[in-house]
Amino acid sequence: MIAPRVPPIGALRRAAAISAALVLAIAVAGAAPPAKRKASLVVTGGTVVTMDAQRRVLSPGAVAIVGQSIVAVDTPQAIAARFAAADIVQADGAVVMPGLINTHGHAPMVMYRGLADDLKLMDWLQKYIFPAEAKTVSPEMVRIGTRLAALEMLQSGTTLHTDMYYFEEEVAKATKEAGIRGVLGQTIIGFPVADAKTPAEGLARAERFMLAFRGDALVVATVAAHSMYTVDAETLKATRGLAAKYGVPLLTHLAETRDEVDESMAKHKLSPAAYFESVGFWDTPAVAAHGVHLSDADIAILLRHRVALSHNPESNMKLASGAAPVTKSLKAGLAVGLGTDGAASNNDLDMFEAMRQAAFLNKLSEGDPTAASAQTVLEMATLGGAAALGMADRIGSLEAGKLADLIVVSMRSARQTPMYNPVSHLVYATRGDDVRTTIVNGRIVMRDRRVLTLSPGAVLADARKLAARVRAAVEPAPAQSSVAR
Ligand SMILES: [Zn+2]
């Protein structure tokens, strides 16, 4: 054993005296190093996929955050030199990227996940989903369902979700509780539903909701017309008017199935996109979900009115609705975001899987493996979604001045090894479970897989309890002679 070398006391005193003199000399000369700026959080050491205008990838890179905003994206050394961080997230072995933006969904429908699969759309809707909704949609169901959806979303890297459902104020409260963003539309539909007997009642409720959450830091409160086949022309106009009045994006479903187009042609002699145009529905920024069956003329209509599309490949495949003309829409100049749709037709809310399926579906439908490249699909899930929602100046990329919505995604599994190209891995080899840390609006909502905003045990227990009521609602009462289960 070698004794540790301890300098004699005299030497220490001399050293202290010299350094004190040095500090004094620097102060007198005015040459003190500039004080570091305080950062509330620095994420450092990972491969930073910025999605900025140059699509820079910094390996390694770092992101400095002050409050809700990103203030710098640079090398770890440059960030360390400029900022004193109150908190540091080490991202070694991981990709740091913008949070994923889900542009279409029905969060509370996670409660109907796996309730009925492998059915024709109308059987599925009329025998299972509508009866289940008629008997179980309530503020409590929406609250429990949205908490479950928000837990799944923040665990899989979604930092903003777009929603169309009922009792939307409960969706908003649960979204805020989870600490993620929402563009949330109170649904307007032409028949009596749990939260409104008439469309007029629904519109009044929507306006109260929009006023209640106006100016919220996380929630954009808006209104959603369910579709052109469930809402009459007068109500469509009133819905558009409400979104325009508050300057929020109008939400709807568009041309999801061949039947929708055929019925529209038979009834109005117009395609769904043309019918919406004829009633002035597109005269305000809107996001249309699906757009599976769009003609070139329809795409021209959407472009003329700057209508954005939400592409939902998994729902479209599961319900055999078809493949949306994504490449054509992008080439025409439409903003195209990516969505999961509700969990009843997906059956999960994993945006990594949505990216992978978007690439595969579009390659297959176009008979072209160069279609929907990894880069294109990653853009749809980040910047494209931000543009579709009219928020591209605030989110969708990692740049100074943008809001701090970012995720740390582990790249260390066997499935992700080796890594030559992070963008390829994010789309083709990564799953939601690989997300380690999720940051929204500068706040860490999940850190190293530990959820900090919701209590996962309680969220899951509440959902399981409610599921018993959902099951009872769709199962016929057992006959006298039925076998006990
Ligand atoms: Zn939908």
Side-chain angles (χ1 to χ4, degrees), residues 18-227:
I18 290 165
S19 56
L22 263 176
V23 167
L24 195 67
I26 290 167
V28 169
K36 286 185 185 179
R37 184 175 174 193
K38 283 197 178 103
S40 41
L41 180 63
V42 164
V43 181
T44 188
T47 298
V48 178
V49 176
T50 63
M51 302 305 286
D52 67 6
Q54 295 81 39
R55 303 293 187 264
R56 280 186 308 153
V57 175
L58 304 176
S59 190
V63 180
I65 296 161
V66 173
Q68 301 167 351
S69 302
I70 295 168
V71 290
V73 180
D74 211 326
T75 63
Q77 296 81 354
I79 294 292
R82 281 176 60 196
F83 296 94
D87 191 6
I88 293 176
V89 168
Q90 279 296 340
D92 305 74
V95 161
V96 180
M97 63 172 288
L100 298 168
I101 296 172
N102 188 342
T103 53
H104 181 66
H106 313 280
M109 291 188 81
V110 289
M111 287 312 307
Y112 308 132
R113 185 192 331 257
L115 181 66
D117 302 302
D118 314 323
L119 293 167
K120 288 191 172 169
L121 178 66
M122 282 306 150
D123 282 348
W124 176 72
L125 272 177
Q126 287 167 358
K127 290 187 186 156
Y128 293 91
I129 299 303
F130 286 160
E133 286 191 328
K135 291 180 193 164
T136 60
V137 172
S138 67
E140 183 197 20
M141 175 269 182
V142 171
R143 185 162 57 241
I144 291 171
T146 306
R147 277 194 195 134
L148 177 63
L151 176 63
E152 183 184 355
M153 290 190 279
L154 70 85
Q155 283 180 329
S156 54
T158 295
T159 53
L160 184 157
H161 76 114
T162 308
D163 197 69
M164 298 168 61
Y165 212 61
Y166 309 105
F167 299 108
E168 203 65 31
E169 68 284 357
E170 295 296 338
V171 176
K173 283 188 233 165
T175 297
K176 282 170 67 67
E177 193 186 333
I180 64 172
R181 279 183 212 287
V183 174
L184 311 176
Q186 167 69 33
T187 292
I188 307 298
I189 199 162
F191 49 83
V193 284
D195 65 353
K197 300 272 166 292
T198 62
E201 220 178 276
L203 284 161
R205 165 175 253 292
E207 186 158 19
R208 284 198 301 278
F209 165 62
M210 291 157 83
L211 281 169
F213 288 90
R214 212 173 177 200
D216 191 88
L218 291 175
V219 167
V220 174
T222 185
V223 65
H226 177 269
S227 63

Side-chain angles (χ1 to χ4, degrees), residues 104-106 164 253 256 289-290 341-342:
H104 181 66
H106 313 280
M164 298 168 61
H253 291 108
E256 180 176 358
H290 302 304
D341 208 352

